[in-house]
Amino acid sequence: MADAQSQQENESTQASRDIFAMDTYMNVTAYGVGANEAVRRAEEEIERLDSLLSTGDQNSEIYQINQNGGGILSEDTAYLVERSLDLYQSTNGAFDIAIYPVMKAWGFTDDNFRVPEEEELQELLTLTDVNDISYDSRTKEISFQKEGMQIDLGGIAKGYTSARIMDIYRECGLKSGLVNLGGNVQALGTKTDGSKWRVAVQNPQDTDQYIGVLSIQDKAVITSGGYERYFEQDGKTYHHIIDPKTGYPAENGLISVSIVTADGTLADGLSTSVFIMGKEAATEYWRAHSDEFDMILMTDDRKIYVTEGIANSFESELDTKIIEKES
Ligand code: ADP
Ligand code: MG
């Protein structure tokens, strides 16, 4: 007998779930025939990836790899490590999964926040060179060349998760769906009426407000900002995106970066990387990769910059400048 639920489904069926995972609130929504099955599988996938990739969970694959200084990676983890190694090269070291020992020193991993001594950071930075990771893409064996090296896929995991949910939605035969993983959005197709999804980009200085609205179809919109996770000490704010060149939270004039592209994994990796680069380096990087992604930047003087490819899809009441391919 056919599944009773799917028998009742039609084009206007909507299924939605709220989930808390990967330290954040998530929502998955699917439309049309197959929607209930799709959100059920999406939730399973989120839980599967969370328990695979979590750095803190003693049963996770990443935890085991970090304890043992290496091992054989499963398919998902191998894919993410490969993408991360590529990003390390292409971003000139900004995206660095070996940053974990420094994340721990700042207390971002267990909420025991502290400002480490300069000396301690310099010492730990000797463990954060991705070139000291040996990885064989054929056997999927990874090993760390230095004692104490550890990896963290937190800068890319949520984007991969939303990309995987898009795969699941397509496998379920859907044409329309949306996921929001703690402010990171990815959309399948359009809304059921054929119009584009409208994604609000949060204002980093007041997260109840937004800086503008972006219209998208089949795209991820992934945002990084220092406001997502931080602590204060002696009147100074320290956030969780670390510049691997210094060991300190990145302070290069950007307060928010949104990356827009069909590839959720890339969007997440780049949101972290571009935030670290700062506006000038990010503009140069985008000009060399403008067929791969678009971006919205907000600087600490409250100016907004949007790349040419999405300039017509972004509506904002704030002062907005367009970054063009040719300077
Ligand atoms: P969020 O997870 O808040 O959406 P990001 O995608 O920018 O924001 O990811 C931040 C996370 O990325 C940090 O919590 C940490 O796990 C990891 N991270 C921090 N600095 C770096 C870095 N330089 N390269 C790669 N990952 C990083
Ligand atoms: Mg990221």
Side-chain angles (χ1 to χ4, degrees):
M1 201 182 89
D3 178 59
Q5 209 161 34
S6 62
Q7 269 182 358
Q8 291 159 12
E9 288 180 338
N10 58 42
E11 270 167 27
S12 54
T13 300
Q14 172 181 345
S16 188
R17 285 191 193 200
D18 293 318
I19 300 150
F20 186 83
M22 301 182 179
D23 250 356
T24 194
Y25 292 95
M26 303 183 165
N27 174 270
V28 296
T29 302
Y31 299 87
V33 177
N36 286 291
E37 166 77 357
V39 297
R40 190 188 58 71
R41 282 185 55 192
E43 181 170 17
E44 267 175 24
E45 183 68 356
I46 288 168
E47 276 154 14
R48 185 182 73 85
L49 292 174
D50 196 5
S51 49
L52 198 64
L53 302 174
S54 157
T55 45
D57 174 356
Q58 304 204 359
N59 298 311
S60 82
E61 182 174 340
I62 292 296
Y63 188 91
Q64 294 300 323
I65 297 285
N66 283 340
Q67 287 304 298
N68 301 328
I72 308 278
L73 301 180
S74 69
E75 210 179 307
D76 300 276
T77 311
Y79 174 78
L80 284 175
V81 165
E82 284 170 31
R83 297 292 308 260
S84 299
L85 298 183
D86 288 350
L87 273 170
Y88 182 80
Q89 301 304 334
S90 103
T91 64
N92 192 23
F95 194 77
D96 182 351
I97 54 170
I99 202 71
Y100 196 58
V102 176
M103 290 295 291
K104 279 203 292 200
W106 285 94
F108 284 116
T109 53
D110 59 3
D111 291 357
N112 282 315
F113 302 122
R114 58 188 273 271
V115 180
E117 296 292 335
E118 172 74 38
E119 228 183 358
E120 183 185 356
L121 287 174
Q122 289 309 320
E123 183 89 27
L124 290 173
L125 284 177
T126 63
L127 301 175
T128 61
D129 188 340
V130 161
N131 294 312
D132 294 329
I133 298 176
S134 304
Y135 175 70
D136 182 337
S137 57
R138 199 178 47 85
T139 59
K140 310 214 182 305
E141 183 167 6
I142 191 171
S143 68
F144 305 147
Q145 297 308 303
K146 287 184 181 155
E147 182 81 31
M149 284 182 74
Q150 298 197 319
I151 58 169
D152 170 10
L153 298 174
I156 200 169
K158 276 183 273 174
Y160 177 63
T161 304
S162 63
R164 281 289 308 134
I165 295 172
M166 296 299 112
D167 293 341
I168 289 169
Y169 282 6
R170 276 186 286 262
E171 283 164 29
C172 291
L174 302 192
K175 293 194 184 64
S176 179
L178 192 74
V179 303
N180 185 336
L181 312 184
N184 296 327
V185 172
Q186 189 162 1
L188 177 73
T190 60
K191 293 201 270 186
T192 49
D193 66 5
S195 66
K196 294 196 172 182
W197 300 102
R198 290 170 56 77
V199 178
V201 179
Q202 235 179 31
N203 185 336
Q205 291 173 325
D206 179 355
T207 47
D208 290 334
Q209 304 283 322
Y210 50 90
I211 61 173
V213 176
L214 186 71
S215 297
I216 54 155
Q217 170 176 352
D218 282 314
K219 291 250 156 57
V221 183
I222 295 195
T223 300
S224 283
Y227 59 93
E228 306 217 27
R229 200 163 152 70
Y230 62 90
F231 68 95
E232 278 166 4
Q233 188 173 306
D234 301 328
K236 214 175 142 28
T237 303
Y238 300 93
H239 62 72
H240 72 148
I241 301 176
I242 304 292
D243 185 341
K245 300 247 161 17
T246 65
Y248 285 86
E251 263 185 283
N252 292 316
L254 293 177
I255 54 176
S256 171
V257 169
S258 300
I259 304 290
V260 185
T261 175
D263 177 349
T265 312
L266 178 70
D268 197 0
L270 283 181
S271 73
T272 310
S273 314
V274 164
F275 186 87
I276 293 165
M277 287 177 197
K279 180 179 159 277
E280 296 310 318
T283 299
E284 204 178 303
Y285 185 86
W286 177 76
R287 287 193 175 128
H289 298 86
S290 59
D291 52 340
E292 292 164 37
F293 73 101
D294 278 289
M295 62 186 184
I296 302 164
L297 309 179
M298 187 170 182
T299 51
D300 49 15
D301 55 3
R302 295 183 49 83
K303 291 209 173 70
I304 295 170
Y305 298 84
V306 49
T307 53
E308 209 177 287
I310 51 168
N312 291 331
S313 318
F314 184 65
E315 295 158 39
S316 175
E317 286 176 2
L318 302 174
D319 177 23
T320 304
K321 292 196 168 57
I322 298 175
I323 300 177
E324 285 165 346
K325 285 181 196 168
E326 310 294 335
S327 51

